[in-house]
Amino acid sequence: MTLVVYPWPESVDAADRDSIQVTHWRAWAASRNVHFIDGFAPFFREPSEVALRKYFIAGDVHFTELGHRLLFDEVKRVESLPGPEAQSSRNPHPRSTP
């Protein structure tokens, strides 16, 4: 199982990269050995004004086509990482498995 969290416009506008959604769900995933992908990260690679206009429908919480593509590309990138890098990118606190 993989859990992905992604921002709403308010988080991007507030530059809240490590929001409660990220910290809570990262810890939840780690405690249950669930892969975690921080979908917030790619939305902070550009200034918030640019990201909001480019990736979200104006006045709405939904993504534009580019916003969907950005999140898809991040999931694809993380899921395709080989070996330990994939595990650490998905879940920074992996449990050992028997």
Side-chain angles (χ1 to χ4, degrees), residues 51-96:
L52 289 170
R53 189 172 51 253
K54 192 172 175 181
Y55 301 124
F56 293 93
I57 296 171
D60 198 346
V61 298
H62 294 95
F63 295 135
T64 62
E65 185 176 340
L66 288 174
H68 283 286
R69 173 55 63 178
L70 183 68
L71 186 58
F72 169 81
D73 287 344
E74 183 68 5
V75 170
K76 183 179 171 185
R77 182 190 70 76
V78 171
E79 288 294 316
S80 68
L81 291 173
E85 295 83 20
Q87 183 63 35
S88 65
S89 293
R90 293 185 210 153
N91 187 345
H93 307 292
R95 283 183 162 176
S96 58

